[in-house]
């Protein structure tokens, strides 16, 4: 007698027929045939996937209608991956991180903070200070920004001092004027290709001059970014709409700027102004970036002209705790957000991105040190609400990732593993401090090791209601009911084409909108997704030279500059093409310019045929409908 069971996978559920004579090995063979898989998968009987089914010759103990859960091993080990559409030479996959630096000029925020002494002023203590108001004593003299007691007793406590405070500590503990500091020298975990001793390269020869030093993992006491803030909630709402609509995870790149943050002495804040979503393959359990992104250079150039830059990446880690995807409370994808902050694979990805976006710094002997590139995880908190967690990985993690010696573990996402030395690669000894059964502190080999040694958490949030932060783009414009589509969302049916562009512009041409003064002329084109479309569309592409005057005007909020740009031949030609391409005869696109907007203020739209009539006419010139 045959029975039917269900096998649930990340790509869907399929039914498989079994008999009373089938074994667990036979079941695995049927799953391979049904899902067109190799043997890199595991079957579970429970939804929590704790007890895998073996592949023995034991007869099946399953009933008709039972559900089996399938997990592909690659998805479990590598929830975030980069998929390339071309062959890559591994010898060149050291990413040439240094060449990714645009120049050796320091960030403006570092130059600004370097000119500030950073000492924390204290008021006169009425009980301990016995001098006059012009005097100072031990109890009221300004203290250094790295003072441990101040950081510990601050409300809330400051877990990591800022990077600039760390520099002040180095300067104050070093005698004489120093232009560089040895402690700011970057860690190297790779063996030298050529050695001055003259011996053969690894594995035929090795010496103390060419081999890297052993690494002892330490919790980093400072962080390069002290706070992450989104300019408004609409930025992330539009990003999360992908997960709400598909129940699939999503990755985006954060664009914004760095500014001085007064919540921490000499602190730096990363302000997010936009999220760009690169090409990617998504599912409920994993995301694979498609590399290379053909539009990466264009997006970065647009951002640079707008006064922003790529400052981080964001990804979802959500499971809907509701039968309807994207609604109700949410769960942490990996089970417990108090135990798993970042998985090993996510730490590797963060380290890879941070190595691509190095922080130029004059006090480092190498000319660069660490990175300000941040990671934001959108996950569920203990109350089932969506929460935003900000992180960076330490400089030690960046070195391990650059040398390709950090690996994820198979069954414990909160643990990492250091690769063994092989004939192909020499791996230095890596240790961390742990405790034995007698609670004594000992050194342990990092195979495996807890990832909290590599992770630095960063407070993440949004402006409060009283803050006077002006959005860079039109996310808060009340006129826009249907924002322009986000790129690379064809899987949801969201396409960037001439029709969607026309419908977007039509919102600004409604008579009740033009008469209400609800928007400024800059709001029409202040959308990074729209600006990208102007450059990459297939019908009428704008060059960067043609867009630069517009981008400069948007950056400086220059209304006159935007108005002037919208009267040029390129924009007017594009609008004419929109009118030709738009196939709905009930709606027409007038050339969108300041002149036409003002003309609409002196016109009335016929409610019967939508024809625009001169305001003094009492009848419609097209259908003779009486004006009300």
């Amino acid at each position: 007698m045959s029975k039917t069971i269900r096998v649930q996978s990340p790509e869907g559920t399929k039914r498989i027929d079994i008999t009373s004579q089938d074994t667990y090995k036979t079941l695995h063979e049927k799953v391979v045939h049904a899902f067109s898989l190799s043997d890199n998968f595991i079957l579970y009987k429970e939804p929590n996937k704790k007890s895998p089914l073996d592949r023995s010759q034991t007869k099946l103990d399953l009933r008709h209608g039972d559900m089996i859960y399938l997990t592909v091993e690659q998805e479990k080990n590598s929830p975030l991956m980069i998929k390339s559409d071309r062959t890559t030479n591994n010898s060149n996959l050291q990413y040439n991180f240094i060449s990714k630096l645009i120049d050796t000029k320091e960030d403006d925020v570092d130059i600004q903070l370097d000119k500030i002494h950073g000492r924390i002023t204290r008021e006169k203590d009425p009980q301990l200070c016995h001098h006059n108001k012009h005097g100072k004593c031990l109890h009221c003299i300004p203290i250094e920004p790295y003072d441990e007691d101040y950081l510990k007793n601050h409300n809330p406590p400051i877990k990591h001092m800022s990077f600039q405070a760390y520099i002040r500590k180095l300067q104050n503990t070093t005698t004489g004027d120093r232009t560089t500091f040895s402690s700011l020298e970057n860690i190297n975990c790779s063996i030298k290709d050529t050695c001055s001793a003259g011996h053969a390269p690894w594995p035929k020869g090795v010496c103390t001059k060419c081999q890297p030093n052993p690494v002892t993992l330490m919790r980093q006491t400072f962080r390069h970014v002290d706070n992450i803030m989104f300019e408004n909630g609409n930025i992330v709402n539009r990003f999360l709409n992908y997960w709400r609509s598909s129940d699939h995870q999503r990755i985006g790149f954060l664009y914004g700027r760095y500014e001085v943050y007064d919540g921490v002495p000499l602190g730096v804040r990363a302000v997010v102004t936009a999220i760009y979503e690169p090409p990617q393959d998504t599912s409920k359990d994993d995301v694979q970036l498609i590399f290379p992104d053909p539009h990466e250079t264009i997006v970065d150039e647009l951002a640079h002209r707008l006064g922003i830059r790529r400052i981080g990446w964001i990804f979802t880690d959500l499971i809907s705790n509701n039968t309807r995807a994207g609604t109700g409370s949410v769960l942490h994808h990996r089970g417990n957000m108090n135990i798993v902050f970042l998985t090993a694979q996510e730490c590797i990805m963060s380290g890879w991105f941070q190595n691509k976006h190095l922080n130029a710094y004059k006090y480092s002997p190498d000319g660069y040190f660490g990175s300000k590139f941040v990671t934001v995880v959108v996950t569920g908190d203990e109350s089932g609400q969506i929460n935003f967690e900000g992180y960076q990985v330490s400089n030690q993690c960046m070195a391990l990732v650059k040398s390709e010696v950090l690996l994820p573990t198979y069954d414990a996402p909160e643990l990492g593993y250091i690769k063994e030395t092989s004939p192909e690669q020499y791996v230095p000894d890596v240790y961390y401090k742990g405790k034995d059964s007698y609670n004594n502190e000992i050194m342990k080999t990092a195979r495996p090791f807890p990832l909290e040694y590599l992770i630095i958490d960063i407070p993440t949030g949004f402006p409060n209601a009283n803050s006077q932060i002006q959005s860079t783009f039109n996310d808060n414009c009340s006129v826009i009911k249907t924002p322009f589509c986000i790129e690379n969302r064809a899987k949801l049916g969201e396409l960037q084409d001439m029709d969607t562009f026309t419908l977007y512009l039509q919102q600004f041409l409604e008579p009740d909108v033009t008469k209400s003064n609800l928007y400024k002329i800059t709001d029409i084109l202040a959308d990074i997704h729209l600006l990208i479309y102007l450059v990459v569309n297939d019908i009428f592409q704008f060059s960067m030279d043609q867009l630069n005057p517009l981008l400069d005007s948007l950056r400086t909020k220059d209304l006159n500059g935007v108005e002037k740009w919208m009267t040029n031949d390129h924009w007017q030609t594009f609008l004419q093409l929109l009118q030709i391409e738009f196939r709905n005869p009930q709606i027409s696109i007038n050339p969108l310019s300041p002149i036409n907007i003002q003309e609409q203020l002196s016109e009335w739209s016929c409610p019967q045929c939508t024809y625009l009539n001169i305001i003094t006419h009492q009848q419609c010139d097209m259908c003779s409908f009486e004006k009300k």
Side-chain angles (χ1 to χ4, degrees), residues 269-334:
R269 166 184 275 168
V271 181
V272 181
T273 62
I275 300 177
Y276 166 72
E277 300 179 16
Q280 54 195 284
D281 289 337
T282 64
S283 71
K284 294 182 179 181
D285 296 322
D286 73 347
V287 184
Q288 294 184 355
L289 286 178
I290 300 176
F291 180 82
D293 179 3
H295 300 150
E296 179 180 2
T297 304
I298 294 173
V299 178
D300 287 344
E301 190 174 352
L302 276 171
H304 177 70
R305 198 75 186 192
L306 290 166
I308 58 177
R309 56 191 282 194
R310 188 179 297 194
I311 62 172
W313 68 303
I314 183 173
F315 66 91
T316 59
D317 181 49
L318 295 165
I319 291 180
S320 178
N321 194 22
N322 199 301
T323 54
R324 182 183 172 189
T327 62
S329 59
V330 293
L331 300 176
H332 190 274
H333 186 276
R334 290 155 298 190

Side-chain angles (χ1 to χ4, degrees), residues 7-8 28 31 37 39-44 49 51-55 68-73 76 410:
V7 179
Q8 185 184 84
H28 280 77
V31 171
L37 295 172
D39 285 338
N40 61 334
F41 66 92
I42 303 176
L43 298 179
Y44 299 89
K49 301 177 182 179
S51 303
L53 299 178
D54 57 21
R55 302 183 184 225
I68 301 298
Y69 302 90
L70 182 149
T71 299
V72 180
E73 290 183 17
K76 184 171 182 178
Y410 174 74

Side-chain angles (χ1 to χ4, degrees), residues 534-549:
L534 290 179
V535 181
V536 304
N537 72 85
D538 298 329
I539 297 178
F540 189 87
Q541 294 182 353
F542 287 76
S543 67
M544 290 304 300
D545 290 337
Q546 294 168 348
L547 280 182
N548 281 341

